[in-house]
Structure formats: C-alpha cells, structure tokens
Amino acid sequence: MADDTLLAMKGLVIEATSYPPGEPPKNVTLVHGVDLTLKRGKVLGLIGESGAGKSTIGLSAMSFGRGGVRLTGGTIHLNGREIRLADAKALRSLRGREVTYVSQSAIASFNPAKQIMEQVIETSLSHGLMQKPEAEARARALFRKLGLPNPDTIGSRYPHQVSGGQLQRCMTAMALCPKPDLVIFDEPTTALDVTTQIDVLAAIKEAIRDTQVAALYITHDLAVVAQVADEIMVLRHGRMVELGETGQIITAPREDYTKALVSVRGIEHQEKPPSAPILQVQNVTARYRGTNFDVLKNISVELPPGQTLAVVGESGSGKSTLARAITGLLPPTSGRMVFNGRTLSPNLAGRTKDDLREIQMIYQMADTAMNPRQTVGTIIGRPLEFYFGLKGAERDRRVQDLLDHIEMGKGFADRYPAELSGGQKQRVCIARALAANPKLIICDEVTSALDPLVADGILKLLLNLQAEANVAYLFITHDLATVRAISDKIAVMFKGAVVRYGQKSDVLEPPFDDYTDLLLSSVPEMEVGWLEKVIAHRKMESAGN
Amino acid sequence: MHPVLKLVVQRIALGLVLLLIISVVIFLGVEALPGDTAQAILGQSATPQALENLRAEMGLDQPALTRYFHWLGGILTGDLGTALTNKADIAKSIGSKLGNTLFLAGSAAVIAVPLAILLGTIAARYAGRWPDKLISAITLTTISLPEFVAAYFVIFFLTQVFPIFQPVSLVLPGMGFWEKLHAIALPVIVLVMVVLAHMMRMTRAAILNVMQSAYIETAELKGLTPMQVVWRHAFPNAIAPVVSVVMLNLAYLVVGVVVVEVVFSYNALGKYLVDHVTKRDLPVVQAVGLIFAAVYIFLNMAADIIGILSNPRLRHPK
C-alpha cells in the first residue's frame, strides 16, 4: 500500500566541497543516487564504513546537510511532501516534530548549561504540540520506559550529572517526546561500553516497538543493527551495495562486500605457550596526584618476549593508567616493574635512554599523535636520529625500509598526515614505534577509531611484525573480538584491579567470574534475536538469585 | 562547604591580597621618587633646617615601614590624608569626584554593554554576511578614532550642526537626575563609541565558538529558529568570556577616561588625578592610584566570579 510509505528517497545525490591541503577546493560527491523507502513503524538499518554516506543519508531525511554538505539531486518525500527543496520555514516545522535525531554522543549533543527536562520537552513546546505539564508527564513516562533511574527527578539534573549511558537514553527520550513519525538513530550506542550498550540497545528497541515509530538506524556494527532492524541497507562509498531483510543479510549475504563485513573478525591467532617474561609488573598500586583513591590496585602481570598481553576492560577501569605507569608517566605509589631483567625507575626522569627506546607506544588517535606540520619521513626519522644518530641518506633509507614493512610503498615519506587515510595514519604511528627497535610496544586502543575492515588490516600487520621482530605487545582494548584475534595472555580489569588473568585459552573458558561473564555475554553476536535471548537469560539469573 | 562558595571566597581573598601588594607597590613607587613631600612643599630653595622641621611635623622622619602602616591604617579608617596644594581633606575631595566618575561610567555602561551584546549576537547570527560586516565596520571605525577626535566630531555635530547638547558637561550639586544625564550625554556617546567594538567582537567570537558545538546542531535539528538557537543554546555557554571582556571595559570606563573628561571639562577623578600629578601632590596621587587599582581588581574579580557561577559543572557538582 502506497499509504504506508513514510519516507521515500529517489536518486538522492549529496555533494560537499573539500579543501585538500595545498590544492584549490573541489567538489566531492558523497552520495551517488541512492533510493530508499521506509514504511511507517519499520526500522531500516543503514550500515557501512566511515565515508559510506550513512549519516549523510540519515540527516537528509530531515533535509539537513552537516557543515557544507548539500543535497543536490533526486527527491526526498516525507509524509508525501517533497522536502529536499522545501524552504527554511517548512523545514523548521518538520524538524523536531515529524523527524527527530539521536546522535552518537549524547554528552556533546546536550546543552551543558540547561537542565535535561528543559531540553527534552523543548520541541514539544516550541512546535506547540503540548502544554508544559503534559510534555513533562510524557517525558517522565519515557524516562521510565527507557529504564532510567529516578525517572521523576532525573529531568531536573544537568547533563554532566548523569552517566553516558543514561544520557544516551535521555536523548532517545528527547527524540520520542514530540511523538515523531521517524527517528534517526546515528550510532547511538557506539560510544558506550559494551555492558552499557546492551541496556541502551534493549531500551531503544523496546521504545521503538511501544511507540510504533519508524526509524533509520545508522551504525558500522552489523551485529548491533541485526538486533533492531527489520531491513538492512549496506552502503559503500555513497552507493547502495545490498538491501535485504535482516536475517538474509547476516546469514546469506549476496554481495562480496557484505560477506566481508559479516565475516570480519575472522582472524585466528594461535596462542603461544608461556615462557620467561620480559616485562614483570609486580603489585603495582598508583593514584593521581591530589586524589585519595587508587586508580591501580595491586596489579601483577607478566608478558613474555614476542607475545601479546591483552588488557581488557571498560572505560575507567584503569587500562590506560596501567600503560602510564609502565611508561613512567605515572609513578606507582608501591610495587615495582622489571623489564628485561632490570628494575625500571618508577618515574620517567630516572629512566635510561635504552629504557625509553625499548618501550614504545602507539595511541588510539593517530591524528593527534602526529605533528600535522611534519612529513611522514620526518615523523618516522625522528626516533632514528634520536636513538641511533642516523642522518641524511642513511636515515632516508631506513625510513623507506620501515615504510615497506608497514606495507606502504614509495612516495609516502614526503606526505603530510592530513593526506593519509585513518588506517595509513595508524600504520605510520606503528612505523615510528618500530623505528626505535623496541622490545615492547604498548598499543592503547589502536584499532578502536578505525573501520572494521581497516582495523583487521592493522591487526594482521601487527601480528606479522611480531613474528618478524619478536616484539611484545601490551594491547589495551575494550573490544573482545580484537582480544581473541591477537592475544596470547589476557588480563581483565575492573575498577582498577585485575579480576581475571592468564593464558587466553584459560581466561576465555568457563567457569567465569561475574564480571568477565557480564563482559563476554554483552558482546553483540551476529544473530537475530540475540538481544532478547541475553536479556531474558539475565532476568532469569537475577530472579534465581 | 559548597565548592562554588569555596571558589568565590578564594577569589575574594586573592583580590584582597592583590590589593595589599598593590598598596605596597604604590607606596614604594612614590618613595622612589627623588625628593619628598617636605621638599615638594618648601621648594628647591628651602633651608635644611626648615626641611627638617617640616619632616618632623609631618612624621616623614619615621622609617618607611612605620609610614607605610600609618598610611594603610589611615586608608582603612577612611582617612586618605590631606592634599599638599590646598590642604583639603583628600577623602572629601575624592568623594564627589568618584561619584561623577561612576555616574559617567555607569551611564556609558548601561548603554554600551547591552548594545554590544545585542550587536555581537546579531553579527554571530549572520556571520560572514552583510549585517556582520556592517556591524564590524562601524564599531571598528569608532574604536579606531582617538577619543578626542571622536569627542570633537560629536561636539561639532550635536552642538553646532544640531544644537541639542552643551559642549561642556557641567554637573553641579542640586541638579536633577535627568538634568545631569542631559549634561553628560556627549561624553557618554563618545565612551560608548570607544568601548563598543571590543565587547561586540568578543561576544561574536564567543558565540561563534559555541556554535561549533554538537548541541547547536541538536538545537537546529529541533526546528528552532536561528535566533532561538543563538539566544537559548549558544549565549548561555558564551557568558564567561564575554563577561571578562565587559569587565575590562568597565574598568577602562572608570580609570581610563581622563582625555574625555578633559575635553568636556567634566569634573571627575581622572581630571583630578592629572591635575595633582602636574603639581606633584603625592598623597593625592597615592590615594587615587589605590582607588583605581581597587576598581580594576574588583571588576576582574567580579568577572571571575560570574564565570564560575555561569559554569553548571561548578554550580551543580555530581
């Protein structure tokens, strides 16, 4: 029935102006003629890597272009009206009333200066949909439905006073409050910890079902979208790759690209046997200056040469703090660290040049870890000069050698970081770490900011380099699939303490402690109905206790 | 104690310490000048005996530390000493002039601050388009004119071409409020022209900075009008930087407007200070210097405190 159609896009073309460094501005096409239809009350998942155009298409349902993005071609019909060319006034009347938006980062999307309630009911009042008492009552009902604590009073709090997961649910309430026809969810759970994600996901799914609202659900995580979407559209480089029922996409994908997305995380890594450690962390306890609680509590772990110790945990569990302690940036209050047979000085100033050289770091944000005004050659050449005194042609040769190692060919040495893709930037950071010829590299969430396929490439590269150079990795991550792919040993951290530690095969084998069980069972699986199964299982368990 | 209260108390304590340090600096600065008050009174040709007698009479033979505390103690009890030139009680002379200064500064501020914020907001709303450029062009022109040039322009137009006001801002005791206001209209206009641009540009920059935030996009996607977005969502987050610039300009209105006072023969603190500097009347210079420093410190402290109060993270801790 044609009446059922809420949103119909035909031949949508979206363009933007890009400003490449050192060149005149040029027009780039982000979306090349995409067709999309959404019926009332249905959920369509938009999936793809960064740059696929999924957020851009999502926002075009409100006829909105972020930054300099322009909707230049095709038609967008919402509730039967063409909106691509609608004037500002018409757009204002549909935005926040017919279509609402839930962003990836509720923390950034809430105004820090205003109470939550005021923001949640703002559209209902400004569009004249409800009176204030009615809107507030609806908001409170939504808070309750979304499982927020203290639903009657949480509205009077300020955004910084609630947690990230709670604020994400508040934003969902904000989107649902004016009773829209369509909600755009733009990676609503991506920034959350895995154990928080599952609750928010369940809350969003229930709210969608109860309010009968239609939704565009945008994410790069196929396992997540499989839990909420009726249909999934796979996008790449601004074109549609495949469209199908959720079950068909994840069990029987037709296109090669979809198959690659479904089977990503397929890296098998054979665990190496235990051997004498190169790094020993012994009973390390640490706290930040001016605070009165320990951020690391009596940590003891060991890492043999040429192996990988994965440190897993949620944000705030102390993973990165452990790295800061090992590198000497945060001297422990007690305990000691032994590296390659010698005791490391607790603080950076007491370390020898060899101590510094043999322990290198790679960071999550390759972007901010490089000087944007230096070329790749200078960036990689710096440790060569600093540690080995290499200069001139000799240094250039070694730089090219390292670039070959990270599978980047000739010509990259003269480029600037801004001219590289996300994956390439991370490769340059790896080369810079390797340049020091280290025995240990601390990798802090090095794949978290990357698309799954690119992250896969980085992991494979790291494993190859480990086999070649016999370098050990302390691999900090919150992603359990990455842990499986790369580790020999695992330490699970929770609130500053190691709650589970050992060989990979032992740690990932039941029986589990409560926290590890929660963590492992929260990782979305590519299976329709997984979410309901886990939630039901947890309810049963808590009823049993 | 609530963390905000703690911060505010801290700021006030710091301000008082700073004021004390400045009193030392002013005292030492005057000490360092060649000659002393007795010399200044009696002149170059005074006999040593006469100088000594006068010094003993004025307590100038005491050590510097004693004299400093004597001076400080006097200030704390409202005694600023007596002027050398006319033997007048300084506190009394300053009293009426300070009133005139604050009246002029206050009148200019009441017009300039809201106007600057309004213009800055409009400029931010239409950033890069003609209203923005027009507002920037006009305010930057007025700030670029030296005060006395602006003053003569204003005098020419509003007393000669359109004879609405008097060229001399004579304020006498017994004048009514509106009468006084009419008298100082011209210097107020000049001062508004001088301070407008700085505050306007800061408001514009602070709002534009906030406009980059994700929550502004949220507000746009709620279907609010651009002006609603700016006023409700951007401005509350731009208060702290705007206030600090506003306070700097208010301080300028109190302590830095001597040129305007002179041009309009307005009898206020700046003119009083300059008159007594030329006569080497050191007790007056010391007293007025300290008052100016106090005004500066107080206004900047107020800016700090408003900045603290406008931060919801400090006001409502977790």
Side-chain angles (χ1 to χ4, degrees), chain A residues 473-489:
Chain A
Y473 296 139
L474 185 90
F475 200 96
I476 296 166
T477 180
H478 68 277
D479 180 21
L480 285 148
T482 309
V483 172
R484 286 199 182 90
I486 196 164
S487 65
D488 302 297
K489 302 179 82 168

Side-chain angles (χ1 to χ4, degrees), chain A residues 62 64 66 92 95-96 101 108-109 111-114 119 122-123 127 158 160-161 174, chain B residues 214-215 217-218 220-226 232-233 236-237 312-313 315-318:
Chain A
M62 315 172 88
F64 183 83
R66 192 175 266 162
R92 278 203 294 276
R95 288 175 187 163
Y101 180 71
S109 297
N111 189 331
K114 289 182 178 291
Q119 304 187 53
E122 187 172 14
T123 27
H127 287 294
Y158 282 82
H160 69 273
Q161 292 177 304
M174 183 157 85
Chain B
Y215 54 82
E217 185 182 280
T218 307
E220 285 171 11
L221 291 177
K222 280 178 169 176
L224 303 179
T225 64
R232 282 198 217 161
H233 289 278
N237 291 289
R313 282 170 198 275
R315 218 168 52 232
H316 306 277
K318 284 198 179 188

Side-chain angles (χ1 to χ4, degrees), chain A residues 302-379:
Chain A
E302 293 186 346
L303 171 57
Q307 296 200 14
T308 302
L309 168 65
V311 180
V312 240
E314 306 187 3
S315 51
S317 63
K319 311 182 296 281
S320 295
T321 309
L322 179 60
R324 289 175 67 84
I326 294 171
T327 50
L329 291 171
L330 180 70
T333 47
S334 68
R336 66 183 201 131
M337 292 165 293
V338 181
F339 184 71
N340 211 7
R342 54 187 197 270
T343 301
L344 287 174
S345 156
N347 50 49
L348 200 56
R351 304 250 170 128
T352 66
K353 206 167 182 179
D354 260 352
D355 288 340
L356 300 180
R357 181 182 64 75
E358 289 182 350
I359 302 178
Q360 292 291 313
M361 259 198 97
I362 312 173
Y363 304 87
Q364 173 172 2
M365 290 297 171
D367 259 329
T368 51
M370 290 189 284
N371 186 336
R373 293 186 183 278
Q374 289 182 344
T375 62
V376 167
T378 314
I379 290 168

